[in-house]
Amino acid sequence: MKTTKLKKPPVHIVGNEILRPYNPITVNLIGAGGTGGQVLTALARMNLSLINLGHPGLMVRLFDDDKVETANLGRQLFTTAELGQFKAVALINRINRFFGSNWKAETMRYDHNMPDRNTAASATLTISCVDKVEARFIIAKILTETVHNYHGRNRPKYWMDFGNSRTSGQVILSTLDKITQPASKQYETVDSLPLVTEEYRDLLLFSEEADETPSCSLAEALTKQDLFINSTLANYGASLLWQLFREGILFNRGCFLNLKDFISQPLKIEQHGNNRSRS
């Protein structure tokens, strides 16, 4: 009788430098707007929880050169007392006071004009919460260059990208280099997760450009992005990161979200070409 060999489920297994590091994991968070502010708060909660579980926690640097404007109030996490301040400074100061952390605000744009690009880009995990397609390609270029040129402790390994329209969005986790996978009889281990700028390059390049005209009020801002799309998407991404740090094995690498119809679709770990490890 002929037996059918069952296909092993593909997974990505995280290395010990994430699960059991000797020092806090360095995180670069790019963007302090609607999504970035929500992600920062989630990271702060995650950091406190990790430390209480015996993990060294996280060291976050927040990059943004924008200042708080009236239209940011309400949809983004700012108050009238913070008008005119750099977004990154306002958010980091608040997080440090509340959680007792020592995270850093970088009041500059994350691009090729950073004073010390290798040092600025060297973080084990990079999280981007940016609006422009061009910014994603710049981030991808900087990260891939840093991987080849920087060999210090905080060498880039993962990139999580958030993107959204008015009522929909996605969060996608990528690897910046092959992550060594252990032998497994139960799973098909995948050592590389494709970059969003490669896997969805055509979609990004030919996507309809969003209206980048600055909003003058909260009411006008809400016509461009729903009140809860940023926080909902941030929670999905934070849940994925929590699995990364605590469980060390991923079956999904992100999701697509449609908040209007209350639909979320997981993005499964898959084998891409030869970018996988067999056991």
Side-chain angles (χ1 to χ4, degrees):
M1 183 177 177
K2 187 177 180 179
T3 58
T4 303
K5 187 177 181 180
L6 295 176
K7 185 179 179 181
K8 294 186 290 185
V11 300
H12 176 76
I13 297 178
V14 180
N16 281 334
E17 65 273 15
I18 297 288
L19 291 174
R20 288 179 286 274
Y22 294 106
N23 300 290
I25 296 171
T26 302
V27 179
N28 280 349
L29 175 57
I30 306 169
T35 303
Q38 297 284 349
V39 171
L40 181 69
T41 302
L43 289 173
R45 295 173 59 198
M46 202 178 305
N47 176 60
L48 186 63
S49 300
L50 286 170
I51 291 172
N52 276 275
L53 290 169
H55 189 283
L58 311 174
M59 174 60 200
V60 177
R61 294 179 293 199
L62 176 60
F63 290 79
D64 201 308
D65 65 341
D66 283 345
K67 293 183 177 181
V68 182
E69 300 177 356
T70 303
N72 302 139
L73 306 180
R75 195 179 64 81
Q76 299 182 20
L77 300 178
F78 300 107
T79 71
T80 54
E82 293 164 334
L83 287 171
Q85 292 186 31
F86 281 103
K87 290 181 177 181
V89 173
L91 290 178
I92 287 293
N93 283 346
R94 193 188 314 156
I95 288 294
N96 285 343
R97 287 196 301 267
F98 192 92
F99 290 94
S101 52
N102 188 30
W103 292 358
K104 306 297 182 185
E106 302 286 356
T107 56
M108 60 183 173
R109 189 166 297 181
Y110 189 97
D111 59 19
H112 290 91
N113 295 318
M114 291 185 292
D116 187 349
R117 196 170 64 194
N118 276 346
T119 301
S122 59
T124 303
L125 169 65
T126 296
I127 304 173
S128 54
C129 306
V130 297
D131 295 327
K132 298 180 181 178
V133 171
E134 178 188 7
R136 285 187 175 85
F137 284 99
I138 291 174
I139 292 168
K141 192 172 190 301
I142 291 173
L143 289 176
T144 51
E145 288 175 352
T146 306
V147 167
H148 291 104
N149 298 327
Y150 184 86
H151 300 284
R153 178 174 64 86
N154 296 320
R155 192 163 184 260
K157 293 185 180 297
Y158 292 96
W159 173 23
M160 175 174 279
D161 179 68
F162 289 84
N164 69 278
S165 58
R166 185 172 183 271
T167 59
S168 63
Q170 72 285 331
V171 53
I172 299 174
L173 181 69
S174 308
T175 55
L176 295 159
D177 204 355
K178 289 187 177 181
I179 307 298
T180 302
Q181 300 288 285
S184 174
K185 295 181 179 179
Q186 186 176 1
Y187 301 112
E188 184 78 16
T189 54
V190 180
D191 60 12
S192 296
L193 310 179
L195 298 180
V196 61
T197 49
E198 294 177 356
E199 186 177 20
Y200 297 102
R201 179 182 178 84
D202 292 340
L203 183 62
L204 289 172
L205 288 175
F206 295 104
S207 62
E208 188 173 327
E209 289 295 327
D211 180 10
E212 296 174 2
T213 305
S215 301
C216 298
S217 66
L218 173 59
E220 186 178 346
L222 290 174
T223 66
K224 298 178 181 179
Q225 292 191 33
D226 186 75
L227 183 60
F228 294 108
I229 183 63
N230 302 114
S231 55
T232 305
L233 200 59
N235 281 328
Y236 272 92
S239 294
L240 180 58
L241 287 178
W242 185 245
Q243 291 179 20
L244 184 83
F245 293 131
R246 289 298 299 156
E247 298 177 13
I249 181 170
L250 301 179
F251 294 88
N252 303 293
R253 56 189 179 92
C255 74
F256 293 93
L257 173 68
N258 183 327
L259 196 57
K260 182 179 180 180
D261 297 323
F262 295 94
I263 296 173
S264 63
Q265 178 65 42
L267 187 58
K268 296 292 185 182
I269 300 288
E270 295 178 350
Q271 302 169 350
H272 289 263
N274 294 321
N275 293 331
R276 60 183 184 273
S277 300
R278 292 187 178 274
S279 53

